[in-house]
Amino acid sequence: MADTSKPGPGPLVIVRSLIYFAVFYVVTTLYLVLGSWLLVGPRRWAMKGLELHGRTCVWLLRLICGTKLQVRGRQHLPKSGCLVIAKHQSAWDTFGLISLFRDPAIVLKDELKWIPFYGWFCVKFEHILVKREKASAALKALIRDAKQRISIGREVVIFPEGTRTVPGSPPDYKPGYIALYEALNVVTVPMALNSGLFWPRRSLWRYPGTIVVEFLPSLPPGLPRAEFRTRIETAIEDASRQLIKEAAMAPSPPPLAREATRASA
C-alpha cells in the first residue's frame, strides 16, 4: 500500500494546494449558503446547483493546480436508469463525478444528513442514505430507495468498498452492490478512476496531471451471482491498475503513482 506521507510535494505543489484549499472551501460555502433557497425549490433546480458546483471546482482545480479531467467510455452509460459500480479513492469523487451523469442518486452513509447545509442538501438531492449499523434493515431500505430512483430514470451510483481506498491497495468489496444488481434488474456499468493519485485521501496536496474516469462496458441484468461479481470486480480492478500505470509513465507523475504501481504489481 502506498504511503501518502512520502515522497513529499515540491514547493509549487504546496503553494498551489493551499490556494486551492482556501478557494475550494470559500466557493463551497458560498454555494451552500447562497443556494440555501434551493432547499425549498424543485429538486431538479437543486441538482443543477450541485452540478454547477462540481463543474466550478473541477475547473478551479485545473486552473490553480494544473489537474485536468479526462472522461472515457461515456458511450457505455445508457440514457435510462442504471446501476453504476464505482471505484472510490478521493474526496474529489464526491463533486467531480456529478456532472458526468444525467441525474445521479449516490449511495451515502446516513449520518451525513446531520451536517448543516451539506447534509440537508443530500436529503434534497434524494441521494440514498444508508444506516450501516442496521445491516438487514439498511439493505431493505437501500433496495427500496434504489428501485424508486431507477423508476424515474436516475443513475444509482454505489461505491462498493464503502470508503476511499489508497490507489493500488487490495480491494475490499462489500456484498451490498450484488443485492442491488439482483433486485434492480437493470444494466450495470463498472467505473474505474485514478483520482486518489492527484487528490490523495487525508492530504492537503493536489498534484498536476490528469484525473481519468473510465466507464467500462456494461453488464446485462440476470447474470449468475458469482459470474457478475467476478466480472465487475475484475473489470474495475484491472482498469484501475492500468490507469495507475499510465499515470506513473507520465513525464511528471504524482508521487503515489509509482508507489501504487509497485504495490499492485
Side-chain angles (χ1 to χ4, degrees):
M1 185 179 298
D3 179 359
T4 59
S5 65
K6 55 182 182 182
L12 187 58
V13 168
I14 292 174
V15 171
R16 287 178 167 181
S17 298
L18 293 176
I19 293 172
Y20 182 78
F21 177 83
V23 171
F24 174 81
Y25 281 102
V26 168
V27 167
T28 298
T29 300
L30 288 173
Y31 267 93
L32 289 173
V33 175
L34 297 180
S36 59
W37 63 273
L38 292 170
L39 288 167
V40 296
R43 185 187 67 83
R44 66 179 181 276
W45 293 4
M47 290 299 294
K48 285 298 181 183
L50 178 65
E51 179 183 345
L52 181 59
H53 170 262
R55 290 184 183 277
T56 301
C57 293
V58 168
W59 176 75
L60 288 169
L61 187 62
R62 178 170 184 163
L63 179 69
I64 297 170
C65 299
T67 311
K68 301 181 287 294
L69 170 63
Q70 181 183 109
V71 183
R72 302 175 184 173
R74 285 182 185 269
Q75 71 274 13
H76 298 307
L77 277 175
K79 298 185 183 302
S80 56
C82 66
L83 176 62
V84 178
I85 311 294
K87 197 70 176 173
H88 187 22
Q89 295 180 349
S90 170
W92 180 92
D93 308 341
T94 62
F95 66 85
L97 296 176
I98 297 298
S99 65
L100 308 186
F101 299 100
R102 291 176 296 100
D103 189 8
I106 303 174
V107 179
L108 301 169
K109 54 186 179 182
D110 183 74
E111 52 263 40
L112 291 176
K113 72 183 180 184
W114 302 113
I115 300 174
F117 290 104
Y118 177 84
W120 306 339
F121 271 108
C122 284
V123 174
K124 180 65 180 182
F125 301 142
E126 295 183 13
H127 289 325
I128 301 173
L129 304 175
V130 179
K131 296 180 179 179
R132 296 187 294 183
E133 69 277 7
K134 300 178 180 179
S136 178
L139 183 58
K140 290 179 182 178
L142 169 63
I143 290 172
R144 179 198 66 219
D145 291 346
K147 284 183 174 180
Q148 189 277 329
R149 308 306 191 265
I150 289 288
S151 71
I152 58 174
R154 300 181 68 181
E155 305 100 333
V156 171
V157 182
I158 185 169
F159 302 113
E161 292 172 283
T163 188
R164 293 168 291 169
T165 57
V166 177
S169 62
D172 182 22
Y173 288 69
K174 308 299 188 295
Y177 79 95
I178 300 175
L180 271 184
Y181 169 76
E182 294 177 332
L184 295 180
N185 195 38
V186 293
V187 165
T188 298
V189 181
M191 193 196 80
L193 46 68
N194 65 356
S195 56
L197 299 177
F198 303 94
W199 185 311
R201 66 174 191 167
R202 301 171 188 165
S203 172
L204 286 176
W205 315 134
R206 312 291 177 248
Y207 294 95
T210 302
I211 292 175
V212 178
V213 175
E214 184 171 5
F215 296 104
L216 304 166
S218 62
L219 276 66
L223 294 174
R225 174 177 289 208
E227 179 184 352
F228 171 71
R229 179 169 189 167
T230 298
R231 288 177 64 177
I232 278 285
E233 295 186 14
T234 299
I236 294 174
E237 293 305 312
D238 286 353
S240 295
R241 281 192 292 269
Q242 183 58 39
L243 293 178
I244 291 171
K245 290 179 181 178
E246 288 182 24
M249 295 174 64
S252 299
L256 274 179
R258 286 175 179 165
E259 292 186 20
T261 299
R262 289 194 296 268
S264 60

